[in-house]
Amino acid sequence: MFRSSNVAARVFERQILTPRPGASVNVVRQFYENMCPSYTIYDIDCPDHSFRKFTDDGQYLVSFSRNHQDLIIYRPTWLSFSCKEEDCDSHDLPPKAKKFDSFFTQICCVPLASTNEFICKDFFLYLENLQFGLFATSTAQSHDTPATEGAIHGVPSIEKITFYLVRLEDGMVLDEKAFCNDFVNLPHSMGAFLYEDLLCIVSLRYQIIHILQIRDSGNLVEVRNIGAFCREDDQLFLHSHAQVTQGSSFLSGMKQRLLSFIFRKTWNEEADQTLRVQHLKKKFYFHFQDYVDLIIWKVQFLDRHHLLIKFGSVDGGVSRSTDQHLAFFVVYNMETTEIVSFYQNSSEEMYSLFEQFCDHFHANSRSSFHANFISSHSNNIHALDQLCSIKTKASNASQFVKKMMTSLPYTCQSQSPSPYFDLSLFRYDEKLISATDRHRHASEHPIKFISRRQPNVLKFKIKPGPEAGGWDARPKRISSFLFHPFLPLALSVQQTLMQPTVVNIHFRR
């Protein structure tokens, strides 16, 4: 829509021109080309905390104490200071303005963990419409715990995992739910998924999907458990009809439905009655024990009724890298307790759905306005071009599909909605920085954000770490970036082994 890069001209054009229907927000976001971070305060004087992220509505900055015992919540405020000179822009900021307190106001400090527990610093989910935050604490992990009835052999145990629902406005703990002698994948919130007011938590050790509802009153209410039983009265029915104690001789309800679906799917693949038995032997019975041994790895909501469940081996369920492990995807209807579809992680059909309908897998809550504009290859031509380029360069199509499928199910709230990651507006090196919430190896050079409309125009750059000083490649340097969802404000945090953490604030002056 805009023909000029001048902000005054753009404001005038916005008054006299009408954007295409449904494109008004995207047009407004083009103003961020003129509203970029332009100033950096290096190694700012700030508390020694572990900064987690901005909430998606931009109201809060979440951090944890270094001993992982306390939750500290800040509210972002914009820098303000007085200047008596005529040309204030040419002068450096006063010393008082170069402090963390000039940008953020502490709301509260909440002690969450006890002496033998620690806050998981990578776990945080935000309920935007109620401004509730979900946090997790846990005791140390144990690999020597003997398997109890119903527990999966080979999955470690944690003595206690506690999820806390906190009102961020004042730091009040509203409710909590504990899991004892269990294992939930807490790093990067991988073991939980939030969709509107529904929360699912995956017990890897006992293979149970816990579905909870977060009430407006601040209560965590258990809706259903999916695993050993799929319907609410399954356990009562089995107990009332059992003549003898069965122990663990039954397959779980979820596993029984999975095997039944695979059997029917294999049966229908061969129409010839004489060849059907051989087809079943080859495709189903030969792999029967492999199917029986599958465990639930990860789960996400697709909507309020359907779950996307990833199955795989025990080794892959507790491994950090699942690229080389065989995996399967299941779409499960919670209301009917039926499996809707089943795919292997090398399925071309599954990849096609992922490529065309990527945003549907994100399952963003309707109340999260800013999250609706995160770039993906389903809504952004530049992201699609990147994906097609990677696909073209891949030497093995099956391995490429498997690699792409490792991102499913998606990790909840793992991407920043900042407009500076909008691939329609800016171009940047995604090996160094991206919307995905992950630590990255620090770069020696500043990270450049180039205008997408004007390919050779540098809009701004961000440099983590100290402003000056030699670059020593020997220490391992890790950087993370926290972008505000709509303000031209970002934090870069660089951590170096055995050295103090360096926090820089990048903002528009």
Side-chain angles (χ1 to χ4, degrees):
M1 173 181 172
F2 295 120
R3 294 186 293 269
S4 171
S5 296
N6 181 276
V7 65
R10 284 187 164 191
V11 171
F12 180 71
E13 288 179 16
R14 186 178 64 175
Q15 291 178 324
I16 62 175
L17 299 178
T18 302
R20 296 189 305 273
S24 58
V25 175
N26 290 317
V27 170
V28 171
R29 283 169 67 88
Q30 293 180 18
F31 276 91
Y32 281 101
E33 294 177 332
N34 299 85
M35 301 293 291
C36 301
S38 60
Y39 192 88
T40 298
I41 301 177
Y42 291 93
D43 199 6
I44 193 168
D45 182 13
C46 69
D48 187 21
H49 294 160
S50 176
F51 297 103
R52 177 65 182 92
K53 67 181 296 186
F54 289 100
T55 55
D56 282 352
D57 58 4
Q59 295 296 311
Y60 306 99
L61 172 66
V62 174
S63 67
F64 306 108
S65 59
R66 283 293 176 188
N67 62 2
H68 299 161
Q69 299 289 305
D70 303 322
L71 161 69
I72 303 101
I73 303 171
Y74 293 93
R75 187 179 295 280
T77 55
W78 199 249
L79 175 68
S80 61
F81 62 94
S82 60
C83 177
K84 298 180 181 179
E85 306 293 335
E86 292 185 2
D87 185 12
C88 293
D89 290 339
S90 63
H91 292 271
D92 196 12
L93 294 176
K96 289 184 178 180
K98 293 185 177 183
K99 294 185 177 181
F100 186 83
D101 295 344
S102 299
F103 294 86
F104 301 96
T105 302
Q106 181 174 320
I107 297 175
C108 58
C109 178
V110 185
L112 283 186
S114 61
T115 52
N116 66 332
E117 292 180 315
F118 299 95
I119 297 174
C120 178
K121 62 184 180 69
D122 291 329
F123 186 96
F124 169 60
L125 296 176
Y126 184 56
L127 201 66
E128 184 174 327
N129 59 329
L130 298 174
Q131 297 190 349
F132 293 165
L134 189 73
F135 303 90
T137 65
S138 71
T139 55
Q141 180 176 310
S142 172
H143 291 270
D144 303 326
T145 306
T148 58
E149 183 179 348
I152 301 298
H153 181 73
V155 176
S157 176
I158 298 176
E159 182 181 350
K160 186 179 182 183
I161 303 168
T162 308
F163 293 91
Y164 293 91
L165 188 66
V166 180
R167 187 168 59 207
L168 300 192
E169 183 181 16
D170 55 9
M172 178 175 287
V173 178
L174 302 173
D175 203 354
E176 61 184 73
K177 182 171 180 60
F179 295 83
C180 296
N181 299 315
D182 207 333
F183 186 84
V184 178
N185 210 343
L186 296 177
H188 305 294
S189 310
M190 291 178 64
F193 198 94
L194 182 65
Y195 181 81
E196 296 179 350
D197 60 339
L198 294 180
L199 171 69
C200 78
I201 300 174
V202 181
S203 162
L204 282 179
R205 184 168 167 80
Y206 292 101
Q207 289 293 283
I208 298 175
I209 304 171
H210 299 268
I211 307 295
L212 299 96
Q213 184 181 33
I214 301 176
R215 298 284 177 84
D216 292 358
S217 58
N219 298 110
L220 291 169
V221 180
E222 195 154 309
V223 177
R224 59 166 58 91
N225 291 333
I226 303 168
F229 309 104
C230 294
R231 295 187 184 275
E232 296 177 359
D233 59 349
D234 280 356
Q235 187 173 12
L236 176 63
F237 178 83
L238 287 174
H239 285 177
S240 63
H241 288 75
Q243 300 298 317
V244 294
T245 303
Q246 297 293 336
S248 58
S249 59
F250 281 123
L251 291 171
S252 69
M254 174 60 74
K255 192 65 64 67
Q256 185 274 332
R257 280 163 172 75
L258 176 62
L259 291 171
S260 298
F261 185 89
I262 298 172
F263 178 87
R264 293 194 304 271
K265 183 174 183 289
T266 309
W267 175 279
N268 293 329
E269 286 174 353
E270 181 56 67
D272 192 320
Q273 294 289 343
T274 58
L275 298 177
R276 181 173 283 165
V277 174
Q278 291 299 321
H279 185 69
L280 282 170
K281 286 182 179 179
K282 182 180 179 181
K283 295 291 186 179
F284 180 73
Y285 291 113
F286 183 78
H287 299 286
F288 182 82
Q289 192 58 48
D290 295 329
Y291 292 139
V292 170
D293 293 338
L294 292 174
I295 69 166
I296 298 171
W297 281 0
K298 196 177 177 185
V299 179
Q300 73 161 94
F301 284 103
L302 293 175
D303 54 39
R304 293 188 69 87
H305 305 293
H306 293 88
L307 298 174
L308 177 65
I309 307 173
K310 191 174 190 177
F311 286 87
S313 65
V314 174
D315 293 338
V318 296
S319 172
R320 288 185 176 271
S321 175
T322 60
D323 294 22
Q324 305 303 318
H325 294 275
L326 181 65
F328 299 91
F329 296 96
V330 165
V331 177
Y332 176 77
N333 187 316
M334 295 188 295
E335 303 301 322
T336 64
T337 72
E338 294 177 347
I339 289 178
V340 179
S341 55
F342 173 82
Y343 304 97
Q344 192 171 326
N345 63 339
S346 58
S347 167
E348 290 284 350
E349 183 182 356
M350 181 69 177
Y351 171 76
S352 178
L353 292 172
F354 167 76
E355 183 176 285
Q356 297 177 56
F357 307 105
C358 176
D359 290 347
H360 292 266
F361 290 99
H362 278 288
N364 290 322
S365 174
R366 287 177 302 219
S367 62
S368 181
F369 174 76
H370 299 286
N372 292 328
F373 298 94
I374 295 174
S375 297
S376 74
H377 50 260
S378 296
N379 63 33
N380 190 286
I381 186 63
H382 306 289
L384 180 60
D385 287 344
Q386 291 178 2
L387 180 67
C388 292
S389 176
I390 297 172
K391 186 177 181 180
T392 304
K393 294 177 182 177
S395 57
N396 186 299
S398 178
Q399 290 301 318
F400 166 78
V401 170
K402 286 183 179 180
K403 185 176 181 180
M404 292 296 104
M405 292 298 98
T406 56
S407 61
L408 295 179
Y410 273 123
T411 301
C412 188
Q413 299 181 5
S414 62
Q415 292 186 296
S416 169
S418 169
Y420 301 108
F421 292 122
D422 189 335
L423 292 174
S424 298
L425 301 177
F426 300 99
R427 179 169 53 87
Y428 46 86
D429 188 345
E430 293 198 45
K431 294 179 181 178
L432 302 178
I433 192 171
S434 76
T436 304
D437 178 23
R438 286 292 187 274
H439 297 291
R440 300 173 186 275
H441 292 289
S443 170
E444 178 181 358
H445 304 289
I447 301 171
K448 299 178 180 179
F449 286 74
I450 311 295
S451 170
R452 180 69 71 175
R453 293 192 316 111
Q454 301 167 290
N456 297 319
V457 176
L458 173 66
K459 285 297 183 179
F460 69 100
K461 53 187 177 181
I462 283 181
K463 182 182 183 300
E467 181 178 11
W471 179 263
D472 189 350
R474 287 174 295 177
K476 186 178 180 181
R477 303 171 188 265
I478 302 296
S479 293
S480 58
F481 303 90
L482 285 68
F483 275 72
H484 193 277
F486 54 84
L487 294 177
L489 173 67
L491 274 70
S492 63
V493 182
Q494 180 174 286
Q495 297 171 306
T496 307
L497 186 64
M498 305 300 291
Q499 293 184 20
T501 300
V502 178
V503 179
N504 299 341
I505 290 187
H506 314 269
F507 65 102
R508 181 171 181 82
R509 183 175 170 179

